[in-house]
Amino acid sequence: MNLLIKGGRVIDPSQGMDAVMDVLIADGVVLELGQGLSAPEGTPAIDATGLIVTPGLIDMHVHLRDPGLEYKEDIATGSRSAAAGGFTSVACMPNTSPVIDSKAVASYVINKAKSEALVNVFPIGCITKGGKGESLAEMGELKEAGCVGVSDDGKPVCNSELMRRALEYAKGIGIAVISHSEDLALVGEGVMNEGFVSTELGLKGIPWAAEDIAVAREVYLAEFAGAPVHIAHISTVGSARIIRNAKARGVKVTCETAPHYFTLTDDAVRGYNTNAKMNPPLRSAADVEAMKTGLADGTIDAIATDHAPHHPDEKDVEFNVALNGIVGLETSLPLSLKLVEEGRLDLNQLVSLMSCNPAKILGLDRGTLKVGAVGDVTVIDPSKEWQVEAAKLESKSKNSPFLGWKLKGRAVYTVVKGQVVYQA
């Protein structure tokens, strides 16, 4: 629980801090920041010379598949993958089996994480009972159990009246509402982005309007209710524009995108690559550019992986029947650092997107290195080059479109409450 991190470039946007200094953690909390710090004899030390030291990274959108789907991932393997990616905290989505719609299931996740997880695991509960979109789940009970947000992720809440009531009730008890925004009628039987590539491959397409219309509904409901809403995994030019305009008029809307949406286009589907199949689908080059612009100008508040592990039997099938989603915890940081290398973001912006902002949105006491804060720290080597290999991924599943890619930048130490839980 005690640790001295010496000589790193400490970047903490929550304090406007960007300087070479030491960080001393005692009893699991940040005790002191400064230069030339000393620690009691026997305190472990990390030489962070030439490295970047940040508040622990937070992924606010992962699927740990536990309970019920542990053949894809479980809390132990998912947390190892998170630690290897530099994440000290993850928020896990409720579309498990059974879904997280009760105090009992939420408590199961929290208690199992306490005994098995290397990192902090914060559950997200369901908006509706059973995630069926018919009646509201017991949000107060879910919050009391330890859930930090509610979402029917994987499906939208189609009933606008029900979503309105969800926003109003969540506002009253102070819990985040995370919307999976898509118009299912427009999605239909689509399996990839509607456009030239889908036509060429003979695959049914999903139009960008399916996302934009649903995002617009959530924005207007939030505006009407005077309540905050968070939009998950945006991927289109239109979604970014709608949210940018809403923020300008004071709507309490936040949003996230994932690294695959600012890295890949629907060209990655060529060859019927099921590791390039996700929901929302990979979009056009214009959409990729919109994600980069949105991250840079503050329209997009967070980078989240939507880590979605699947068994090979669920991916090594025809494209139409393959399940949506990819693993992303271990590739998120280097893919995001590429935006810094390209000059689209600076490191302070990146740390805000991957730590400070997710903490604020979910109301976590994380995302800062202020004295007295929990000692969660990520130490990053931005120049470390490595290749993505399935055998070396910590996740139980290997469904990544980035297999074989050579990436630059990696977490070399992941520290949770003063304890090193991962070392590269």
Side-chain angles (χ1 to χ4, degrees):
M1 303 291 276
N2 299 339
L3 184 66
L4 178 60
I5 303 170
K6 293 185 67 68
R9 179 184 171 188
V10 177
I11 299 177
D12 182 2
S14 75
Q15 304 182 75
M17 182 178 288
D18 184 351
V20 174
M21 63 176 69
D22 306 338
V23 180
L24 178 60
I25 299 169
D27 296 324
V29 300
V30 179
L31 181 67
E32 195 175 357
L33 299 165
Q35 295 181 335
L37 298 184
S38 58
E41 190 174 341
T43 300
I46 292 172
D47 181 1
T49 305
L51 305 177
I52 296 165
V53 179
T54 75
L57 303 184
I58 299 169
D59 190 342
M60 63 180 296
H61 190 141
V62 305
H63 298 270
L64 295 182
R65 306 302 194 200
D66 194 352
L69 304 168
E70 295 92 340
Y71 68 94
K72 304 173 190 256
E73 190 80 283
D74 56 43
I75 287 171
T77 60
S79 76
R80 285 205 302 271
S81 181
F87 293 99
T88 58
S89 297
V90 297
C92 58
M93 287 295 163
N95 52 343
T96 47
S97 182
V99 297
I100 307 173
D101 68 345
S102 68
K103 187 174 184 177
V105 183
S107 297
Y108 162 85
V109 172
I110 289 168
N111 291 331
K112 192 168 185 183
K114 283 178 181 175
S115 63
E116 296 187 10
L118 293 180
V119 303
N120 307 296
V121 175
F122 299 101
I124 305 288
C126 286
I127 294 174
T128 64
K129 290 179 181 176
K132 295 177 180 178
E134 296 169 358
S135 60
L136 292 181
E138 297 291 343
M139 289 188 204
E141 182 182 277
L142 290 169
K143 184 179 180 185
E144 189 178 285
C147 290
V148 297
V150 289
S151 178
D152 276 3
D153 188 59
K155 294 179 289 187
V157 176
C158 295
N159 183 317
S160 297
E161 168 66 9
L162 192 63
M163 190 62 173
R164 171 197 172 180
R165 298 303 177 195
L167 290 168
E168 291 174 339
Y169 188 69
K171 176 188 176 186
I173 63 172
I175 194 168
V177 176
I178 301 168
S179 169
H180 173 108
S181 300
E182 64 175 338
D183 185 309
L184 294 180
L186 279 170
V187 171
E189 296 178 357
V191 294
M192 68 167 293
N193 184 55
E194 183 177 299
F196 181 82
V197 179
S198 66
T199 303
E200 187 179 87
L201 296 178
L203 295 172
K204 290 188 177 180
I206 300 171
W208 52 258
E211 180 175 318
D212 294 15
I213 287 169
V215 169
R217 186 199 75 165
E218 308 301 50
V219 163
Y220 283 121
L221 285 175
E223 188 170 23
F224 177 76
V229 68
H230 178 80
I231 312 296
H233 46 51
I234 73 164
S235 68
T236 68
V237 172
S239 288
R241 181 176 60 243
I242 291 162
I243 292 166
R244 184 179 292 111
N245 291 342
K247 285 186 171 189
R249 63 178 190 270
V251 181
K252 299 172 185 174
V253 58
T254 55
C255 68
E256 71 196 42
T257 193
H260 39 278
Y261 298 124
F262 57 74
T263 304
L264 299 172
T265 68
D266 54 4
D267 276 324
V269 177
R270 292 185 188 278
Y272 302 94
N273 178 10
T274 58
N275 280 342
K277 185 183 183 187
M278 63 276 295
N279 186 30
L282 297 173
R283 305 284 188 179
S284 69
D287 295 303
V288 169
E289 177 60 28
M291 296 304 100
K292 293 180 179 181
T293 300
L295 289 165
D297 70 12
T299 298
I300 301 172
D301 302 271
I303 294 171
T305 64
D306 195 5
H307 176 81
H310 289 300
H311 190 274
D313 290 351
E314 297 166 324
K315 281 292 192 178
D316 294 342
V317 291
E318 296 88 345
F319 194 91
N320 282 342
V321 297
L323 296 186
N324 287 309
I326 65 169
V327 293
L329 282 165
E330 294 168 66
T331 52
S332 177
L333 179 57
L335 292 171
S336 301
L337 281 167
K338 193 174 180 187
L339 297 179
V340 176
E341 192 175 351
E342 293 172 356
R344 302 302 295 264
L345 298 176
D346 61 38
L347 283 167
N348 280 275
Q349 288 174 300
L350 185 65
V351 175
S352 291
L353 290 159
M354 298 187 75
S355 182
C356 309
N357 292 352
K360 286 178 194 169
I361 293 165
L362 295 177
L364 307 179
D365 60 342
R366 301 293 196 278
T368 181
L369 293 177
K370 291 177 181 175
V371 171
V374 177
D376 290 356
V377 185
T378 305
V379 182
I380 301 164
D381 183 347
S383 60
K384 186 177 181 68
E385 295 183 349
W386 60 288
Q387 187 164 359
V388 184
E389 299 176 54
K392 293 183 179 178
L393 292 177
E394 295 287 348
S395 175
K396 193 179 285 189
S397 297
K398 315 298 178 183
N399 49 304
S400 169
F402 304 111
L403 295 177
W405 281 40
K406 291 181 179 177
L407 300 177
K408 187 177 178 182
R410 192 162 199 177
V412 288
Y413 293 94
T414 305
V415 178
V416 177
K417 296 175 186 171
Q419 293 186 316
V420 176
V421 297
Y422 172 80
Q423 180 179 346

